[in-house]
């Protein structure tokens, strides 16, 4: 269904590859509608495991923080987080790894990476209520200091993406925190502190207490 602008009505993939429980407001999305989102995740797992893993990590961090603080916009925020990496489906896994690790890329590789948001939007726009998620994803694409009215959902996803990227570069908690704060203005500074202190791995919370 997803490949080349959602050609297939259904994707049959081994359920063992699916490690993402999506939830939604039953009034807004039926079980059939929700299954279409899950099929996108299934497709990502089968075609690009690296991108799928990034999707899982972003989704889990967003879910943990949003639910801990009981913030509004449950299903929109969580589904947008799950869809945030779907644009990487058409990017070779080796290129995704090099990009996330901050390795030098060729000009033509930069073109491919720069096109990822557009590819993501093409997929999300075709999903049930996908237009509801696009503003959140577009907020996540923008720097905090460049957004006119950044949403909580978009800011949270942007922070989750940054944390995943930092971890993939082998940064420990202290290094990760410094790295995220170095580019002041990229993320919401208040929300960033909350996420680092409440939604990061348990071992890092203990580490925080000793800083």
């Amino acid at each position: 269904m997803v490949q080349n602008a959602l050609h297939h009505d259904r994707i049959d993939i081994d359920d063992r590859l699916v490690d993402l429980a999506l939830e939604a407001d039953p009034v807004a999305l039926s079980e059939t509608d929700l299954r279409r989102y899950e099929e996108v995740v299934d497709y990502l797992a089968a075609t690009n495991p690296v991108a799928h893993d990034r999707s899982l990590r972003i989704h889990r961090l967003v879910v943990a923080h949003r639910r801990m603080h009981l913030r509004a916009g449950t299903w929109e925020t969580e589904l947008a987080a799950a869809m945030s990496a779907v644009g990487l489906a058409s990017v070779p896994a080796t290129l995704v790894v090099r990009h996330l690790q901050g390795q030098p890329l060729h000009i033509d590789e930069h073109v491919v990476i720069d096109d990822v948001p557009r590819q993501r939007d093409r997929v999300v726009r075709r999903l049930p209520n996908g237009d509801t998620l696009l503003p959140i994803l577009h907020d996540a694409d923008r720097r905090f200091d460049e957004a006119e009215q950044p949403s909580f959902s978009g800011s949270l996803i942007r922070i989750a993406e940054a944390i995943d990227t930092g971890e993939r570069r082998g940064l420990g908690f202290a290094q990760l925190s410094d790295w995220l704060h170095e580019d002041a203005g990229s993320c919401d500074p208040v929300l960033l502190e909350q996420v680092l202190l409440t939604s990061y791995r348990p071992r890092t919370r203990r580490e925080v207490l000793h800083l």
Side-chain angles (χ1 to χ4, degrees):
M1 182 188 69
V2 184
Q3 188 176 22
N4 297 326
L6 311 180
H7 282 333
H8 306 292
D9 292 330
R10 180 157 182 96
I11 300 173
D12 294 319
I13 295 178
D14 190 330
D15 287 340
R16 289 175 298 177
L17 293 174
V18 182
D19 188 23
L20 180 58
L22 300 178
E23 296 182 3
D25 182 344
V27 176
L29 290 176
S30 67
E31 289 187 9
T32 301
D33 291 339
L34 191 56
R35 180 55 194 158
R36 291 187 62 191
Y37 280 89
E38 292 173 340
E39 287 172 350
V40 173
V41 178
D42 292 356
Y43 178 78
L44 195 59
T47 59
N48 195 321
V50 177
H52 177 251
D53 181 64
R54 180 168 170 82
S55 175
L56 293 180
R57 290 156 64 98
I58 292 170
H59 179 263
R60 287 171 181 154
L61 184 58
V62 166
V63 169
H65 186 83
R66 195 218 59 75
R67 292 183 181 177
M68 182 177 292
H69 294 277
L70 300 178
R71 296 298 297 261
T74 307
W75 70 269
E76 297 97 335
T77 305
E78 296 183 12
L79 282 183
M83 296 296 104
S84 61
V86 73
L88 293 170
S90 60
V91 180
T94 53
L95 176 54
V96 175
V97 170
R98 290 172 52 226
H99 166 61
L100 293 178
Q101 291 181 346
Q103 297 180 22
L105 303 181
H106 300 298
I107 294 178
D108 56 338
E109 292 175 326
H110 277 293
V111 171
V112 172
I113 294 297
D114 289 345
D115 194 46
V116 166
R118 187 182 69 84
Q119 297 293 344
R120 174 203 64 201
D121 289 359
R122 290 179 63 223
V123 173
V124 174
R125 189 174 290 111
R126 287 170 166 77
L127 293 169
N129 278 23
D131 287 340
T132 304
L133 307 185
L134 287 177
I136 298 174
L137 293 168
H138 294 165
D139 266 353
D141 292 339
R142 301 186 187 95
R143 292 175 54 88
F144 179 75
D145 56 6
E146 294 178 353
E148 294 183 4
Q149 292 183 318
S151 65
F152 164 79
S153 299
S155 295
L156 180 57
I157 292 173
R158 183 176 181 84
I159 290 170
E161 291 174 337
I163 288 176
D164 176 66
T165 299
E167 287 185 329
R168 291 176 187 277
R169 297 183 183 186
L171 302 181
F173 173 74
Q175 294 173 309
L176 177 62
S177 179
D178 290 343
W179 180 70
L180 290 170
H181 286 93
E182 280 177 4
D183 188 9
S186 177
C187 298
D188 180 338
V190 176
L191 184 57
L192 175 59
E193 289 298 327
Q194 292 177 354
V195 173
L196 288 174
L197 292 172
T198 65
S199 295
Y200 206 56
R201 293 189 299 264
R203 68 174 178 80
T204 61
R205 290 203 296 272
R206 290 196 300 270
E207 205 171 334
V208 169
L209 298 179
H210 293 88
L211 291 179

